[in-house]
Amino acid sequence: MVYRKIVAILGVGGVGKTTFAYRILKISDTPVLTLRPSYYRIYFGDLEVDLVDVPGQRVFDVAMKFASFKIPVIDRLIYMYDVTNYESLSAISELHTLFIEKGSQVAKEIVIVGNKMDLAAEIGFYIEADEIATSIGAEEVYYISAVRDPPEVFVKIILGDHD
């Protein structure tokens, strides 16, 4: 029997959503600009995962569409931000507020991923997401480098701590 899970990655443009998706899929190292939502199907044993990569420049439009559903349509929502850019982290709060205002429980599980830890190491600081994670009810927070970390790191984020 095959089990199915829908995982969506939301965040503003340039935070590394498509790089993350490409790395887990083991395709091109140089992603192209995402102009519309992309759907990728990945298999992990008897688990079928539909990964939804949302274009950053349209993230609020797509979030409005997700928010129109009153029941969770996504099993795992990954909010991604750039650990060197506070605006990309505050956008997560704005996106989540949109869901709350619409009365939508958009996902069964909420996760925050801080990306670009390789750049943070170069400049000597990074912005933590713990406070926002607590305020939106995110169960897990990860800090990664989508261009440097091994695919196993991404699989753990996709599947979660408990799978």
Side-chain angles (χ1 to χ4, degrees):
M1 178 168 196
V2 175
Y3 300 94
R4 187 166 176 230
K5 188 173 196 173
I6 299 172
V7 178
I9 308 172
L10 294 181
V12 295
V15 299
K17 299 176 303 294
T18 303
T19 300
F20 177 94
Y22 278 25
R23 290 291 311 280
I24 200 164
L25 295 163
K26 299 178 179 148
I27 55 179
S28 170
D29 286 336
T30 309
V32 295
L33 179 65
T34 308
L35 299 174
R36 59 186 172 80
S38 300
Y39 302 89
Y40 307 101
R41 183 158 287 157
I42 314 165
Y43 292 92
F44 302 99
D46 62 352
L47 177 64
E48 176 183 284
V49 174
D50 287 338
L51 182 63
V52 183
D53 177 19
V54 174
Q57 64 274 25
R58 295 195 46 225
V59 70
F60 286 94
D61 296 336
V62 173
M64 285 294 288
K65 181 69 173 169
F66 287 162
S68 69
F69 300 107
K70 299 304 178 201
I71 59 167
V73 294
I74 298 167
D75 295 299
R76 191 165 175 85
L77 174 59
I78 300 171
Y79 285 121
M80 187 175 283
Y81 76 102
D82 173 347
V83 296
T84 68
N85 180 311
Y86 181 77
E87 288 77 25
S88 68
L89 177 60
S90 67
I92 290 172
S93 187
E94 292 174 40
L95 284 165
H96 200 73
T97 297
L98 192 151
F99 296 133
I100 292 168
E101 287 174 351
K102 294 290 183 183
S104 174
Q105 182 190 353
V106 71
K108 296 173 188 166
E109 303 169 3
I110 299 171
V111 177
I112 295 180
V113 173
N115 185 29
K116 301 190 181 183
M117 287 301 287
D118 53 322
L119 295 178
E122 287 178 23
I123 61 174
F125 83 94
Y126 71 98
I127 301 158
E128 292 185 3
D130 297 343
E131 189 175 312
I132 286 182
T134 300
S135 71
I136 67 170
E139 296 91 7
E140 301 157 43
V141 178
Y142 297 91
Y143 297 98
I144 65 163
S145 169
V147 297
R148 302 244 163 99
D149 288 340
E152 298 79 37
V153 171
F154 312 130
V155 171
K156 180 180 179 185
I157 294 169
I158 293 286
L159 299 180
D161 280 339
H162 53 307
D163 287 337

